[in-house]
Amino acid sequence: MSLFAKRQFLISILCSVAFGANAVSQENDNVLWYAEPAGIWEESLPLGNGRLGMTPDSGVEKETIVLNDITLWSGAPQDADRPDAHTYLPQIRELLKEGKNKEAEAIINTHFVARGEGSGHGNGANVPFGCYQTMGNLYLDFSYEAGGEAGISDYIRKLDLNTAVAYSSFRKNGTTYSREYFTSFDDDLAVVKLTANRTGKISLKISMDREERFETFLKDSILVMKGQLNNGIDGDGMRYMVKLQPVLQGGSLEVEDKALHIKNADQVILFISAATDYKQNAYEVAVDKELEAASKKSYTLQKSNHIARFSSYFDRVDIKLGSTSRDELPTDCRLDLFLKEGDKDDGLAALFYQYGRYLSICSTRPGLLPPNLQGLWAKEVQTPWNGDYHLDVNVQMNHWPLETANLSELNLPLKDLVAGMVEPGEKTAKAYYNSDGWVAHVITNIWGYTSPGEEASWGISNAGSGWLCNNLWQHYLYTKDEKYLREIYPILKGVAQFYLDMLIEDPVTGWWVTAPSVSPENTFYLPDGSRTNVCMGPTIDNQIVRELFTNLLTASEVIGGDADFDAELKAKVNDIPPVAVIGEDGRIMEWLRPYKEVDVHHRHISHLYALYPGNLITPEATPDLAEAAKKTLEMRGDDGPSWAIAYKMLFWTRLKDGNRAYKLLANLLRPTKDMGVNYGDGGGVYPNLLSAGPPFQIDGNFGATTAIGEMLLQSHAGLIELLPALPAQWAESGSFKGLKAQGGYTVDLEWKQGKVTRYRIYSDVSEQLAVKLNGEVQTVETVKL
């Protein structure tokens, strides 16, 4: 038995012994709970209201609460384009046509990548690209009077997903202490409530700091932290402010040493207001305004308003999977036991699904920014990969669950981010390709970065802007909102115009393809044995171009487009490569030529884009390609970073193999505390269920949430299919309410023994609809809402 297997065996015994007789019954299924404080940040519980976030560790003697604001970025708008890059384009393309990819790569690395420091190779905190940063740390240092029984007992901390409120409580020295935490969906601030069951027992010191660029001071019994981040130019970047105002019942408040000292209080409520000057100069006024509004409400009203507004999102969907659950055990114990006894805890998969919805609601809101690589939760100044928006799967995956999960409006911040990329993207298109339209490559930030990255191997992918168009299009497919379609049409058209201008004819096949490009982050062998990434027409580019042109022609039929432009699209779509080419080994080819990949288990599987998120490959319409996709996935394997495992789940759900998707879910739910950077196998989840690449990267959560939804409901192939990929593990029984299908339909469903026993499909008007259930396609009538 391996050391890891021995560890898990011992953990399962300890969990069973420790909690078997003293299991805690939870009031609902949607609760994460633990029997001890968080020992590391990756065990703390994430709270957020779409702008502000906090992660309390609920320590007994000292509590650390990490604070976040989704707008807090270093860096600034920059011009990272090389104005003369396009002059090297003909030479690069000729070398690629001649099969001299390495020579082309050398020119690209010298003349065709970002100018200057780009993203800082993922360490951009102090260069113009910038990075998403933690706002800082709030410390609560508690003092306890001696007396009563010794030690700490009855400890519990939990997060109720139904209410977005976290709790902790314990007994010490004969007194029971309780804490509540939430980032309010009412007044836009964070709230912490400290209580005890005996009077005068709450004493603590309150302070704040961050790793750099801050000052703290006291003003009228309010603790203030403020500072200015580095813009990578002259140091004068984004400004921020945090104010903490305590409200006491009983006891005394003293101020000294840049800290608040509370003694012998009966109850303490902390209001934490924060803001940055991102798109608002009067950010300090905004901080004060929220504190003032909160001070005029009772805690009970603040909390009830918060729950009501949060629940208006969360309560749209209810889900039950299978017939077993271990919710009486702490969540970390459930994870440890799931490795070998997953059949006894179907409820963990349902909890993980709802947790993904919870994280979406908490990490974005209309009118603000979309969730980044870390959602909105970050503990560092230099976040991994800058906590930015990666455009080669990651930011797209962050948004995949939203439509089916009935959170459609949370897609709108991404639309706004993309709209802000159009103008700089037009400049980039001219600089590098001398093309009309606009392009974004592989990374962006809140400053509208569209230039290539710093290296040819990953930085010259030009699929990023095209891939984003799929996300924008999906929102239209689910809502049929023609006003929205008119808003996004110019964005999509601009990307299509770029591709129309930059495609070139491949001398071998006669197809028109992108050049230069890469299949995201993947490397292949040239015939001479050398390695490179640079190529012409990788499969993902061809699929995105075909999809985009087709979608624009559809949009034109709906809203009336440009007839001349439509004619160009129709002509060119016949010249681009087919959806996919099957190689001699039966797999889908990743590149235009039959190159051999360096790593057959590579984390990216970009050449299956047409299977998901696209719909150009389906088992019904393209069975040969679907079979080739299976062989491709078999070769890639079932491991990888967490997001890659989630992506493979999605591919298998589209191939209607629920059991394989479930196997991947079990892989994803492997517990880990590893924080090292991982590009290969070994992804999993941390004790707080945040996905681990490692390190923490939230796309794994959102990808798995999407895949679970796709196991239950699919609507991309021209009809609504119920339980298209239900795994045997959940077959005994289950139900869901409120999932959405393309066209704006809402679906409720129950099943037993793998068969649909009851369902309802709701729509704005009653209509006839093609539905596949229990293996047969039927015409059914929807129920008018």
Side-chain angles (χ1 to χ4, degrees):
M1 181 182 292
S2 69
L3 288 175
F4 183 76
K6 289 178 180 178
R7 173 186 175 274
Q8 296 309 126
F9 176 72
L10 290 172
I11 286 173
S12 65
I13 293 176
L14 289 171
C15 284
S16 299
V17 171
F19 298 101
N22 300 298
V24 178
S25 176
Q26 297 302 318
E27 59 271 26
N28 67 69
D29 296 333
N30 296 320
V31 175
L32 283 67
W33 75 276
Y34 305 84
E36 59 185 9
I40 55 175
W41 181 79
E42 289 77 7
E43 293 178 332
S44 61
L45 296 172
L47 297 158
N49 67 0
R51 183 178 73 88
L52 298 177
M54 67 174 173
T55 45
D57 66 15
S58 298
V60 173
E61 305 292 340
K62 179 172 183 174
E63 171 152 28
T64 300
I65 302 174
V66 178
L67 304 175
N68 292 111
D69 182 318
I70 198 169
T71 66
L72 186 61
W73 270 74
S74 63
Q78 65 169 316
D79 183 1
D81 291 339
R82 294 178 180 266
D84 64 343
H86 64 276
T87 63
Y88 295 90
L89 187 60
Q91 184 181 0
I92 292 168
R93 286 174 165 173
E94 284 304 311
L95 289 169
L96 289 172
K97 288 178 181 180
E98 296 169 5
K100 298 178 180 178
N101 301 54
K102 288 294 291 185
E103 290 85 343
E105 180 181 4
I107 295 174
I108 291 169
N109 277 325
T110 303
H111 301 290
F112 209 79
V113 293
R115 181 176 62 172
E117 296 172 281
S119 69
H121 294 274
N123 292 289
N126 294 305
V127 302
F129 185 90
C131 79
Y132 177 62
Q133 300 193 5
T134 180
M135 181 158 272
N137 303 304
L138 166 62
Y139 302 109
L140 309 180
D141 291 280
F142 293 93
S143 301
Y144 299 95
E145 294 180 357
E149 68 269 27
I152 300 166
S153 61
D154 301 332
Y155 185 94
I156 187 171
R157 64 184 176 97
K158 60 183 179 179
L159 170 61
D160 186 343
L161 304 185
N162 287 355
T163 62
V165 178
Y167 306 85
S168 66
S169 68
F170 54 89
R171 188 170 178 83
K172 181 177 175 63
N173 298 340
T175 300
T176 298
Y177 296 89
S178 301
R179 304 174 195 168
E180 291 185 349
Y181 321 76
F182 60 93
T183 44
S184 182
F185 277 72
D186 185 16
D187 294 318
D188 194 2
L189 41 63
V191 184
V192 179
K193 181 183 180 183
L194 313 173
T195 60
N197 69 341
R198 296 169 64 195
T199 60
K201 294 298 182 180
I202 301 175
S203 298
L204 70 154
K205 171 188 172 184
I206 304 170
S207 59
M208 287 191 290
D209 72 8
R210 72 190 303 270
E211 184 179 326
E212 64 177 25
R213 293 180 170 266
F214 77 98
E215 62 171 325
T216 56
F217 57 91
L218 295 160
K219 183 178 181 181
D220 300 327
S221 300
I222 292 176
L223 179 61
V224 183
M225 180 170 70
K226 62 185 299 186
Q228 186 169 27
L229 304 191
N230 189 359
N231 62 1
I233 303 169
D234 57 13
D236 296 334
M238 187 178 291
R239 296 172 294 167
Y240 68 91
M241 172 178 278
V242 187
K243 285 189 174 183
L244 182 148
Q245 179 175 352
V247 178
L248 281 62
Q249 286 186 9
S252 63
L253 173 64
E254 298 178 359
V255 296
E256 58 177 291
D257 299 328
K258 299 182 180 180
L260 299 171
H261 296 262
I262 296 172
K263 296 181 180 179
N264 306 123
D266 304 330
Q267 172 184 287
V268 178
I269 298 173
L270 307 178
F271 293 111
I272 306 135
S273 183
T276 74
D277 68 351
Y278 177 69
K279 294 186 177 181
Q280 60 171 353
N281 291 325
Y283 69 104
E284 295 184 354
V285 174
V287 170
D288 292 336
K289 181 180 177 181
E290 296 299 339
L291 282 178
E292 182 180 1
S295 68
K296 295 177 181 178
K297 294 177 184 173
S298 69
Y299 176 84
T300 301
L301 180 59
Q302 182 77 232
K303 181 181 173 184
S304 64
N305 287 351
H306 156 76
I307 292 172
R309 293 180 182 179
F310 170 82
S311 298
S312 69
Y313 290 97
F314 190 81
D315 290 354
R316 297 174 189 176
V317 170
D318 184 56
I319 188 169
K320 306 289 183 185
L321 301 175
S323 58
T324 63
S325 181
R326 278 179 156 164
D327 59 1
E328 77 281 0
L329 296 179
T331 304
D332 49 348
C333 278
R334 295 176 74 178
L335 275 177
D336 290 326
L337 292 169
F338 195 82
L339 279 171
K340 66 185 186 71
E341 299 178 359
D343 59 325
K344 297 179 181 179
D345 198 358
D346 298 328
L348 185 60
L351 177 67
F352 197 56
Y353 176 82
Q354 289 286 45
Y355 189 52
R357 294 184 67 248
Y358 166 87
L359 293 172
S360 290
I361 298 166
C362 293
S363 61
T364 189
R365 72 167 76 151
L368 270 178
L369 293 168
N372 57 51
L373 280 173
Q374 301 203 252
L376 62 67
W377 297 281
K379 63 178 178 178
E380 302 111 333
V381 164
Q382 178 57 68
T383 43
W385 300 287
N386 294 323
D388 67 15
Y389 299 103
H390 268 47
L391 307 182
D392 56 355
V393 70
N394 310 95
V395 73
Q396 291 91 345
M397 185 178 286
N398 282 2
H399 294 79
W400 285 346
L402 296 176
E403 299 296 341
T404 301
N406 209 336
L407 298 170
S408 183
E409 65 267 55
L410 300 186
N411 258 319
L412 298 178
L414 180 64
K415 184 261 292 182
D416 295 340
L417 183 79
V418 176
M421 296 164 62
V422 172
E423 184 175 342
E426 290 172 342
K427 180 176 172 296
T428 298
K430 282 293 185 186
Y432 287 85
Y433 308 94
N434 198 27
S435 295
D436 289 335
W438 72 278
V439 65
H441 291 82
V442 71
I443 49 175
T444 194
N445 53 22
I446 67 169
W447 311 115
Y449 185 95
T450 55
S451 306
E454 300 89 85
E455 297 174 9
S457 61
W458 57 273
I460 63 161
S461 169
N462 51 56
S465 42
W467 197 332
L468 288 168
C469 290
N470 174 274
N471 285 76
L472 271 56
W473 181 252
Q474 290 296 317
H475 182 70
Y476 166 69
L477 290 180
Y478 276 83
T479 63
K480 295 299 181 181
D481 182 343
E482 292 188 15
K483 179 177 180 293
Y484 167 83
L485 182 59
R486 293 181 187 278
E487 291 176 1
I488 67 168
Y489 181 82
I491 300 174
L492 274 59
K493 182 181 178 182
V495 179
Q497 184 64 65
F498 165 77
Y499 287 130
L500 282 172
D501 281 3
M502 72 88 65
L503 295 177
I504 65 169
E505 186 175 8
D506 170 37
V508 177
T509 63
W511 293 329
W512 286 71
V513 298
T514 57
S517 192
V518 298
S519 187
E521 302 181 31
N522 206 359
T523 310
F524 56 87
Y525 290 107
L526 290 168
D528 64 2
S530 61
R531 301 178 180 187
T532 188
N533 304 72
V534 177
C535 66
M536 298 171 61
T539 297
I540 183 176
D541 287 13
N542 305 330
Q543 293 172 350
I544 285 175
V545 171
R546 177 174 295 277
E547 174 190 69
L548 177 60
F549 287 6
T550 303
N551 290 344
L552 274 165
L553 290 170
T554 300
S556 184
E557 293 175 2
V558 176
I559 62 174
D562 181 334
D564 292 339
F565 187 69
D566 289 351
E568 284 189 74
L569 294 176
K570 289 176 182 177
K572 189 60 70 175
V573 80
N574 294 320
D575 295 332
I576 60 179
V579 172
V581 177
I582 300 174
E584 292 183 359
D585 59 3
R587 294 186 291 153
I588 288 176
M589 289 174 56
E590 186 164 356
W591 296 277
L592 196 61
R593 310 282 184 256
Y595 300 128
K596 180 182 177 182
E597 64 265 64
V598 171
D599 178 7
V600 296
H601 302 303
H602 195 269
R603 59 193 177 277
H604 282 272
I605 320 101
S606 303
H607 47 314
L608 297 191
Y609 173 95
L611 180 61
Y612 193 95
N615 65 350
L616 301 175
I617 296 177
T618 67
E620 297 81 10
T622 58
D624 291 344
L625 292 180
E627 188 61 32
K630 289 182 182 179
K631 291 182 180 179
T632 302
L633 289 167
E634 291 287 1
M635 180 65 77
R636 276 297 204 263
D638 290 342
D639 213 329
S642 56
W643 66 263
I645 298 172
Y647 204 177
K648 293 171 185 177
M649 282 180 67
L650 278 159
F651 290 136
W652 285 109
T653 61
R654 284 286 174 93
L655 294 169
K656 311 299 174 65
D657 191 337
N659 289 335
R660 188 62 171 268
Y662 180 83
K663 178 177 181 289
L664 284 155
L665 176 62
N667 284 355
L668 183 59
L669 289 175
R670 293 176 300 199
T672 183
K673 293 185 181 180
D674 185 3
M675 274 83 79
V677 174
N678 170 54
Y679 290 100
D681 294 348
V685 295
Y686 292 114
N688 60 6
L689 297 189
L690 290 177
S691 67
F696 164 50
Q697 196 172 310
I698 205 167
D699 41 19
N701 289 99
F702 294 141
T705 300
T706 312
I708 293 171
E710 289 265 333
M711 293 160 87
L712 306 176
L713 176 68
Q714 294 181 18
S715 58
H716 62 282
L719 51 72
I720 294 176
E721 186 168 2
L722 307 178
L723 304 184
L726 187 71
Q729 179 58 41
W730 302 339
E732 182 175 338
S733 64
S735 65
F736 63 78
K737 293 181 179 180
L739 295 186
K740 301 288 283 191
Q742 288 186 13
Y745 304 104
T746 305
V747 183
D748 297 348
L749 183 147
E750 298 175 7
W751 73 86
K752 288 187 181 299
Q753 305 307 320
K755 299 291 185 181
V756 176
T757 57
R758 180 184 177 278
Y759 73 96
R760 287 282 184 92
I761 301 176
Y762 302 92
S763 59
D764 292 336
V765 295
S766 181
E767 57 184 293
Q768 299 290 311
L769 197 64
V771 177
K772 187 174 183 179
L773 70 151
N774 298 333
E776 296 182 359
V777 177
Q778 303 177 15
T779 300
V780 303
E781 186 169 344
T782 64
V783 178
K784 182 179 179 181
L785 286 169

